[in-house]
Amino acid sequence: MWHRLFALAVLTYKEGVRDRALFGIGLFSIALMAGSFLVVSMFMRELSKVTVDINLSATAFAGLLLTFFVSINLMAKDMDRRTIYLVMSKPFSRAQYIWGKYMGIMLLIVVALLMLSLCASLTIWFTKSQYQDYFKGFIWIEFYKAVYAQVLMFGLLNAFVIFYSTITTSSFITLLFSISTYIAGQTIEEVVLFLKTEQADGMVMSQGIDALINVFQYILPNLSVFDLKVQSAHAIIISRDYLFTITCYSSAYTIVLLLLASMIFKRRELR
Amino acid sequence: MQEITLKNISKTFVSEFKRQKKKAVDDLSLSIPTAEIFGIIGVNGAGKSTTIKMILGFIRPDKGQIFVAGRDPSDPDSRLKVGYLPENPYFYDNLSARELLTFSTRTSGLGKKESNERIDLLLEKLGLTDVQHHKLRTYSKGMTQRAGICFSLVHDPDIIILDEPMSGLDPFGRRMVIDLIEHLKAQGKTVLFCSHILNDVERICDRVGIMDKGQLKKVLTREQIHQGTNKSIDYTINNMEEIFLQTICGKK
């Protein structure tokens, strides 16, 4: 079983890594990182925070573009263009297909983020060497913890991409659902907090809306927990317990989504 | 031994919005024994591709049973020794033919040495050796079709399902495929073959099934097709075409 999963993951990775969009995304992100050196020189204070923030944002942005354009292409286009017939004519179960594809996509995301974080590290190191006084509080390990949290976030977001690909018949709808999930996942915590504060201040909200928000709060992923840019930029120590908790959160959510996707895909007819 | 068995298979598709029903396959029964070349012919929409997709487990029949090498198509192992060429095969654009074939051999459990030998042999046979490392998106239609044929045969399957294998091929390519299928028969392989080109079906197949509106209207052996030629006296008539038209339209 594993040799088949590995073969599909490698096939998916190779197809993705040669996608022309990947080069564009990579070049854009590296240009953004290199540009951060020019941008920080215009600031008179907190250069380390600006540098770390720009570089982590560039990595996250590249990850998002990869997810929305390359991952969706790899998954949904398999259905659109019927390349799935070639894969499924081999002895794959539907669940193996889902997990093999996810492994390939994640391999691509992890390799891309590793490369980009290496570029970001070089940029930070270079800026640090030029403006040493501003980087006294900077902690490398906190920077890498933030990158790790991004990997967890993209692991979860790509599980959503796989899940949506199994319930829709069009790559465009998968893209729309995935972008919506990302936006909702990044903002749900703030929305809930805002509404609870307003309620505490005497705002009256209908029971239906209140119940709906509670449902969304638990169904939608809270992606803001993976955003550690601020902590990393301000050199705030991120505890091991926190990292362990978000790892479990991302893993559990991903496993549930992939199991659901496998169940749905098992019933789907490949016409 | 029967390699492919279909027992009273029916399949109806329901359109997504209007909920209109369309019967694609209707009470189809068929058995294909080992080492037989069985051809299915029929007009567009006759149910040929749907039947193949049910055999491969891509879609499920509403009624009836299917066995491939003694297994239900929902069992992935039923496809372990099956090679499939879809109609108008689509490939991953950024992969090379060699990478695609390596995927096929690895997922079928072939070792590295055997895999490389089979890939070299097939690429040579189908004239793709020189372009084996080129990206598949740079291939012409005929080259894509030949790469698809390689993909379906590279893991040395016992059952080969070819949906319109001659599509997009020039006369030289068609000749190559006919020779290849005859070679597969000599090796004792079972071939299920769908085509619109009646001459090819008549030439290659041991038995031919004529499908229309989801039903298997007639199954003829090679001898029965040629007996028809003798009776019709007129040897200039394309015999398979006559039988086909008589079966579908009732035309004499």
Side-chain angles (χ1 to χ4, degrees):
Chain A
M1 184 188 97
W2 286 103
H3 71 278
R4 283 182 204 146
L5 278 181
F6 184 70
L8 182 56
V10 169
L11 186 89
T12 308
Y13 171 76
K14 281 184 177 172
E15 176 66 7
V17 86
R18 292 170 192 166
D19 195 314
R20 285 170 190 165
L22 193 75
F23 296 107
I25 294 167
L27 278 175
F28 175 72
S29 308
I30 290 167
L32 207 65
M33 287 169 188
S36 75
F37 180 70
L38 298 173
V39 172
V40 293
S41 59
M42 295 174 201
F43 285 78
M44 295 306 290
R45 55 184 182 173
E46 301 195 295
L47 298 195
S48 71
K49 286 166 198 164
V50 177
T51 308
V52 173
D53 208 17
I54 291 177
N55 279 279
L56 281 175
S57 297
T59 317
F61 189 58
L64 276 180
L65 291 177
L66 264 177
T67 302
F68 293 144
F69 295 103
V70 181
S71 299
I72 289 179
N73 207 18
L74 286 172
M75 190 63 202
K77 285 271 170 78
D78 233 10
M79 322 277 178
D80 281 355
R81 290 191 55 196
R82 307 276 185 253
T83 40
I84 194 167
Y85 288 159
L86 287 173
V87 178
M88 292 310 293
S89 70
K90 310 308 299 174
F92 280 101
S93 69
R94 299 289 178 98
Q96 284 170 352
Y97 172 80
I98 293 290
W99 287 87
K101 275 276 170 185
Y102 180 74
M103 281 164 60
I105 287 171
M106 279 316 292
L107 185 63
L108 180 71
I109 297 274
V110 168
V111 169
L113 287 185
L114 278 177
M115 303 273 282
L116 288 171
S117 57
L118 183 71
C119 293
S121 303
L122 286 173
T123 311
I124 294 170
W125 173 80
F126 185 67
T127 316
K128 189 170 174 263
S129 66
Q130 298 295 307
Y131 306 100
Q132 286 180 1
D133 290 347
Y134 293 97
F135 280 82
K136 278 177 184 163
F138 175 72
I139 308 168
W140 279 106
I141 192 75
E142 300 309 315
F143 170 75
Y144 292 116
K145 281 179 187 173
V147 174
Y148 172 70
Q150 283 184 356
V151 173
L152 292 178
M153 197 269 280
F154 288 119
L156 178 50
L157 196 59
N158 278 283
F160 268 99
V161 167
I162 300 264
F163 175 72
Y164 291 139
S165 301
T166 60
I167 59 168
T168 64
T169 50
S170 141
S171 51
F172 181 68
I173 297 172
T174 304
L175 176 67
L176 277 185
F177 281 3
S178 304
I179 291 175
S180 307
T181 303
Y182 174 73
I183 294 169
Q186 284 288 359
T187 52
I188 189 77
E189 193 180 59
E190 279 181 48
V191 171
V192 170
L193 201 67
F194 171 77
L195 290 174
K196 297 280 179 209
T197 315
E198 291 295 305
Q199 268 184 314
D201 288 346
M203 186 187 84
V204 182
M205 197 159 57
S206 77
Q207 278 191 328
I209 299 279
D210 195 33
L212 199 67
I213 286 165
N214 274 327
V215 169
F216 277 135
Q217 186 184 352
Y218 290 107
I219 288 180
L220 287 170
N222 184 358
L223 297 180
S224 62
V225 298
F226 301 106
D227 186 358
L228 302 180
K229 282 199 289 290
V230 175
Q231 288 89 327
S232 177
H234 289 83
I236 298 167
I237 306 291
I238 302 153
S239 72
R240 276 189 199 172
D241 285 351
Y242 185 81
L243 284 181
F244 179 71
T245 307
I246 59 171
T247 304
C248 292
Y249 178 64
S250 171
S251 308
Y253 219 126
T254 300
I255 290 169
V256 169
L257 279 171
L258 293 181
L259 287 175
L260 277 174
S262 303
M263 280 164 61
I264 294 166
F265 193 57
K266 195 178 173 187
R267 299 188 59 79
R268 183 161 168 176
E269 300 211 304
L270 307 173
R271 289 170 66 177
Chain B
M1 186 193 158
Q2 305 298 325
E3 291 285 14
I4 299 174
T5 307
L6 290 88
K7 290 182 184 169
N8 308 104
I9 297 300
S10 292
K11 180 70 189 176
T12 302
F13 290 121
V14 183
S15 66
E16 279 181 29
F17 295 108
K18 291 183 177 175
R19 311 303 295 167
Q20 280 177 337
K21 289 183 177 177
K22 187 182 180 297
K23 202 154 214 170
V25 175
D26 185 13
D27 198 29
L28 189 148
S29 294
L30 176 69
S31 283
I32 305 173
T34 307
E36 183 178 72
I37 303 182
F38 189 92
I40 301 180
I41 54 173
V43 294
N44 291 330
K48 307 185 295 291
S49 292
T50 304
T51 304
I52 285 179
K53 284 173 190 169
M54 285 194 284
I55 291 170
L56 289 161
F58 296 168
I59 51 181
R60 284 177 299 277
D62 299 331
K63 274 192 281 183
Q65 284 181 303
I66 300 176
F67 296 102
V68 181
R71 292 171 193 267
D72 189 279
S74 61
D75 178 357
D77 285 345
S78 69
R79 295 185 293 279
L80 197 61
K81 280 298 198 178
V82 172
Y84 170 57
L85 171 75
E87 188 180 358
N88 303 320
Y90 287 106
F91 294 125
Y92 295 101
D93 288 341
N94 298 317
L95 296 181
S96 68
R98 190 163 195 102
E99 285 168 336
L100 193 78
L101 298 182
T102 305
F103 170 74
S104 180
T105 52
R106 291 287 163 81
T107 50
S108 301
L110 263 66
K112 199 172 182 180
K113 189 170 175 270
E114 194 186 358
S115 165
N116 282 333
E117 283 171 3
R118 288 283 309 166
I119 292 169
D120 289 339
L121 180 78
L122 260 296
L123 287 170
E124 180 71 39
K125 257 188 186 174
L126 282 140
L128 293 172
T129 307
D130 293 341
V131 290
Q132 60 178 304
H133 297 296
H134 293 194
K135 285 182 181 175
L136 287 160
R137 70 160 175 258
T138 62
Y139 280 25
S140 68
K141 194 168 184 247
M143 284 159 79
T144 305
Q145 190 73 4
R146 279 187 275 161
I149 293 165
C150 282
F151 184 83
S152 65
L153 300 178
V154 72
H155 55 295
D156 196 19
D158 294 331
I159 303 167
I160 298 117
I161 300 172
L162 306 170
D163 198 352
E164 300 290 350
M166 310 296 188
S167 171
L169 293 178
D170 55 28
F172 180 72
R174 281 173 61 186
R175 177 74 236 179
M176 195 187 278
V177 173
I178 288 168
D179 290 346
L180 203 65
I181 293 173
E182 281 171 350
H183 182 64
L184 290 171
K185 182 176 165 56
Q187 286 181 308
K189 310 284 185 188
T190 308
V191 182
L192 173 59
F193 172 56
C194 272
S195 182
H196 286 111
I197 305 165
L198 303 179
N199 280 343
D200 291 339
V201 176
E202 186 181 5
R203 198 165 154 192
I204 303 169
C205 298
D206 297 317
R207 283 193 303 154
V208 178
I210 302 172
M211 277 191 83
D212 185 39
K213 292 172 187 152
Q215 292 178 328
L216 191 63
K217 296 282 186 186
K218 204 175 264 183
V219 177
L220 299 160
T221 61
R222 190 193 285 256
E223 291 73 29
Q224 283 171 319
I225 295 166
H226 289 282
Q227 271 171 16
T229 309
N230 295 332
K231 280 175 191 170
S232 70
I233 301 168
D234 186 354
Y235 287 86
T236 57
I237 294 172
N238 183 333
N239 202 47
M240 193 67 237
E241 193 176 300
E242 277 300 304
I243 296 170
F244 179 72
L245 289 173
Q246 276 176 24
T247 309
I248 303 293
C249 322
K251 185 187 158 187
K252 292 265 175 186

